[in-house]
Amino acid sequence: MPLVSEYTKDTIKESILNKLLRYYGCTIEEATPKQVYAAVAATVRDQIMLKWRFEKEARRTEKAKRLYYLSIEFLTGRWLHNNLLNLCSTAEYEQAFAELGLTLRGVLHEEPEPALGNGGLGRLAACFLDSLATLNLPAMGCTIRYEYGLFRQRIVDGQQVEVPDEWLTYGNAWEIPTQRDAVVIRFGGQMMENWMGDKNYISLQNTEDIIAVPYDLPIVGYGSDVVDRLRMWSAVLPKNFNLEKFSAGDYNGATQESDSLAAQISKVLYPEDNTYNGKKLRLMQEYFLVSATLQYAIKDFKRIYGANMELLPQKVAFHINDTHPAMVIPELMRILVDEEHLPWELSERLTRECVAYTNHTIMAEALEKWPEDMMRETLPRIYSIMQELNRRLCQKLFDRFPGEWDRIGHMAILAYDQAHMANMCIACSSAVNGVSQLHGDILKRSTFADYYKVMPEKFTAITNGITPRRWLMLANPTLSSLLDETIGQGWRHDAMELEKLLPFADDAAFVEKFAKVKYENKARFSRWINRHQGIVLDPDTMFDVQVKRLHEYKRQLLNALHILVLYNRIDSDPSYTMAPRTFIFGAKAAPGYRRAKEIIHFINVLAAKIAAHPRANQFIKIAFLQNYNVSTAEMLMPASEVSEQLSTASKEASGTGNMKFMMNGAVTIGTLDGANVEIADLVGEKNCYIFGMRSKEVEALYASGTYRALDIYESNIELRHALDMLFDGRLTPDNPKMFESLYRALVFSDNGGMADPYLVLKDFGSYQAAQTRLGADYLDAKAWTRKEIVNVAKSGVFSSDRTIREYNEKIWHLQPLVRKK
Ligand code: 26Q
């Protein structure tokens, strides 16, 4: 096997041919595309393995601290292309492919998309791993190896249909089962009190046990020495687990089907995004991830450092990505108290010093609150530890707020028969982090205001980021080359160097080249979407894009209603004209979220209506992309010109799609919400389109209870006209009342709820005005391209490398591993 540096065109070729011969007994001419992909992936994996040992060895010899980043989702996207890029080997592989009669694109396409996440939270975790490895920081991402990832979406008759995501059918070329690290996870059972001298500890009897088997995935840093790993835990019932078969490499034969709930733990990813769902199996998934990770982490710690647990905070950090892994806190307490026999107070201090928490949402319906009964029954010891944590916490709170029971109840871990996971995270960790500056402020002044009074030192705000490797270099090779030739290659290692582009915004020759790149990317996307979904796009029209999960607060409806108003103008005025636009949507709705599905249906009905109108279809096209995912985003971002970021101010904690668009030159139209605030600050008002209420105004309006959507409906004629079409049959003659409930939710306060809770009508006029300005500005192509260039130039701060450096300085304090030459 060649050394790392010896992976040249010729050795790569030889390795691919060899693997085809040894794995499948075939030549390259006989091999299927899947077999070719497997042989290529195995070759790349060999190359990675040569670096793999380094992290482990260096961590031991340097006794370096390690981060465990726990997240119930890691939305990594495909691995092959990213690995080639980060190994800096793409060129060699492309040459080898050319001589073998293969194309890079063709090989990449064979890789199944791992969809182990819903949206922003999971994608952020994936960007973080890329940056951690790139910065040579020792870290392990920990998650669940879901057999079924997020459902695949089909649009049938304008409506979402969910199809199971069987991403593991052909195996996963990148994962390495690490059977020696398998651990037992225990559910249910009865607590037994034990004494060891004068020390009291608890053990469990008659538990239902499940085995957690780790599958490790290498995470290669960009041009770095460190290969970190993503550990994906898979659940197996012990009586069905045949260790002999497993050790012999027969991973499927080693397990059998069972119908117990525990056996289902790693079957499927829950498809809710920004919504809490109180299912017991979900609680079990969360504990499974937490307990497996902690048991392993403590075992690894003791192997390296021995039994002195007081060293733990110097050597280990646990980061909990939203509250889903919050049981890190009671589980670490359990291990320290019941297994290591440490005193409670010391255990509490060590736990606090090891653990930090990031909050990703202020939406009330997303905050996790588990019924106490369910916790007690499913995890009796964890529950009893939470009771004791709660008792001590409430005592302290009572000293601070004597007699203020409401306030204390609001801050408690257990109150009103529920376990409040966010409260536990704040009370028992060392850092509480918001994901944008605005979000950090809202946490302090509103969501967690009481906690901010008691422990202000814990609160930080570190703005999210995205990895420029996947989102610029890999996704946009043509822009990347143009950047290289214009400002040199420094930006590839330090995204802040993108600012060197700024002077070129006024260089006519550069502006022309930049515009050409954008046009080519539009054409490339058009060909791609035509090939995959049969959608026909015209790259000579403006590409105006809104892609993200479907949620009412993200306000895809605002966009759609604006398009409907444009349609009505064209329909009623034969001389109406506008710059032709393609409105591109992509969004999955949680299967149980009826309103969200209705909005998808509405957008598709509107698309058909416009397509059938002889004049409207000259100016407007709506393309609803099926199954929006990471791979689609990689193609689409470089082709986008307008980035729609329309959330009701205060509701979108950060957003990260907004950053991907910006880095690829799209101009933002958005509210001052989440990281949009920071984007607007950076590019200035000439280079983005800000509209709508500000977050404080929204909060004040909600608090005042004076909002009347009906008043706007009555006073804005064009808007009323559009809304009426939702139920008067002009949109859907066969079923006139198809969207009546959507209409009613916007205008009336039925069922006690408030009308138009996300302020779509309230912000409509301001949005329309911003769109009109944008439309006019677009006509000046050079001035528009200048805006795009400024956006790219200013996007460097949104590199997740900056985010990770900040986390590391403020919270984790990891030392980069250095390879001694
Ligand atoms: C919880 C309990 C049960 C089932 C599902 C869930 C669940 C799943 C996913 C709750 C929340 C999520 C996802 C939240 C999320 O993606 N939030 C986004 O995080 C991004 C990264 O910080 C931000 O940029 C976005 O603003 C935020 O919406």
Side-chain angles (χ1 to χ4, degrees), residues 73 118-121 124 270 272-277 282 324 360 368 435 464 553-554 652-656:
E73 308 187 354
N118 276 285
L121 169 141
L124 184 76
Y270 277 103
E272 282 87 17
D273 180 275
N274 271 300
T275 313
Y276 159 73
N277 120 350
R282 170 73 179 204
H324 317 140
H360 295 264
E368 284 193 297
V435 289
N464 283 168
Y553 84 79
K554 294 177 187 283
E652 189 70 273
S654 161
T656 43

Side-chain angles (χ1 to χ4, degrees), residues 359 362 407 410 426 432-434 436-456 459-461 648-653 672-674 677 693-703:
N359 172 285
I362 62 151
R407 191 199 294 263
H410 188 69
I426 304 171
V432 178
N433 192 71
S436 69
Q437 299 312 299
L438 177 65
H439 175 61
D441 288 344
I442 294 174
L443 291 183
K444 289 195 233 174
R445 76 162 182 265
S446 151
T447 320
F448 300 136
D450 286 332
Y451 266 110
Y452 182 58
K453 280 194 198 102
V454 185
M455 27 191 101
F459 285 74
T460 61
T648 313
S650 79
K651 301 285 183 191
E652 189 70 273
L672 282 182
D673 199 17
V677 176
M693 297 187 82
R694 309 309 192 227
S695 58
K696 284 189 177 159
E697 294 168 349
V698 170
E699 286 166 43
L701 185 64
Y702 283 142

Side-chain angles (χ1 to χ4, degrees), residues 347-587:
S347 303
E348 237 192 274
R349 175 172 69 79
L350 296 177
T351 299
R352 187 177 55 248
E353 288 176 6
C354 286
V355 175
Y357 155 64
T358 294
N359 172 285
H360 295 264
T361 188
I362 62 151
M363 303 280 294
E365 64 263 40
L367 294 180
E368 284 193 297
K369 293 175 190 163
W370 292 101
E372 282 190 58
D373 288 345
M374 193 192 281
M375 292 231 46
R376 189 188 301 113
E377 181 194 326
T378 317
L379 301 162
R381 181 54 177 150
I382 293 302
Y383 177 73
S384 81
I385 290 172
M386 286 168 66
Q387 281 182 311
E388 182 60 14
L389 289 169
N390 185 53
R391 194 183 63 77
R392 290 167 185 249
L393 169 69
C394 289
Q395 231 161 35
K396 279 189 213 133
L397 293 175
F398 189 81
D399 293 342
R400 173 72 199 264
F401 304 114
E404 295 190 50
W405 295 112
D406 271 358
R407 191 199 294 263
I408 294 171
H410 188 69
M411 299 173 77
I413 298 172
L414 302 174
Y416 314 112
D417 300 323
Q418 289 182 314
H420 293 243
M421 305 314 253
N423 285 349
M424 178 166 70
C425 289
I426 304 171
C428 305
S429 72
S430 55
V432 178
N433 192 71
V435 289
S436 69
Q437 299 312 299
L438 177 65
H439 175 61
D441 288 344
I442 294 174
L443 291 183
K444 289 195 233 174
R445 76 162 182 265
S446 151
T447 320
F448 300 136
D450 286 332
Y451 266 110
Y452 182 58
K453 280 194 198 102
V454 185
M455 27 191 101
E457 72 289 348
K458 289 189 185 181
F459 285 74
T460 61
I462 302 175
T463 302
N464 283 168
I466 57 167
T467 168
R469 269 72 66 184
R470 187 175 289 266
W471 296 111
L472 184 50
M473 295 186 212
L474 179 154
N476 202 339
T478 41
L479 179 57
S480 297
S481 306
L482 179 61
L483 293 173
D484 287 346
E485 85 187 44
T486 311
I487 57 172
Q489 297 207 349
W491 65 273
R492 288 180 182 262
H493 291 279
D494 174 7
M496 289 309 289
E497 287 201 15
L498 289 170
E499 265 208 89
K500 289 186 177 168
L501 208 58
L502 219 43
F504 292 91
D506 296 311
D507 172 333
F510 179 76
V511 170
E512 200 172 307
K513 283 190 212 162
F514 189 98
K516 191 159 164 266
V517 165
K518 183 59 88 181
Y519 185 84
E520 279 168 9
N521 283 327
K522 289 167 74 180
R524 180 180 75 138
F525 179 75
S526 305
R527 289 192 299 273
W528 182 82
I529 201 68
N530 186 250
R531 207 165 49 239
H532 292 283
Q533 300 189 12
I535 296 174
V536 179
L537 299 182
D538 177 359
D540 286 314
T541 63
M542 178 203 299
F543 281 12
D544 177 330
V545 185
Q546 186 171 23
V547 283
K548 50 182 77 249
R549 280 300 285 254
L550 210 137
H551 206 295
E552 287 162 279
Y553 84 79
K554 294 177 187 283
R555 297 200 295 192
Q556 281 92 352
L557 250 188
L558 186 54
N559 189 348
L561 285 172
H562 173 248
I563 300 170
L564 181 52
V565 167
L566 289 177
Y567 167 85
N568 284 336
R569 285 189 183 174
I570 298 169
D571 184 48
S572 61
D573 175 3
S575 65
Y576 188 86
T577 168
M578 60 178 271
R581 267 205 219 196
T582 302
F583 293 96
I584 299 173
F585 288 89

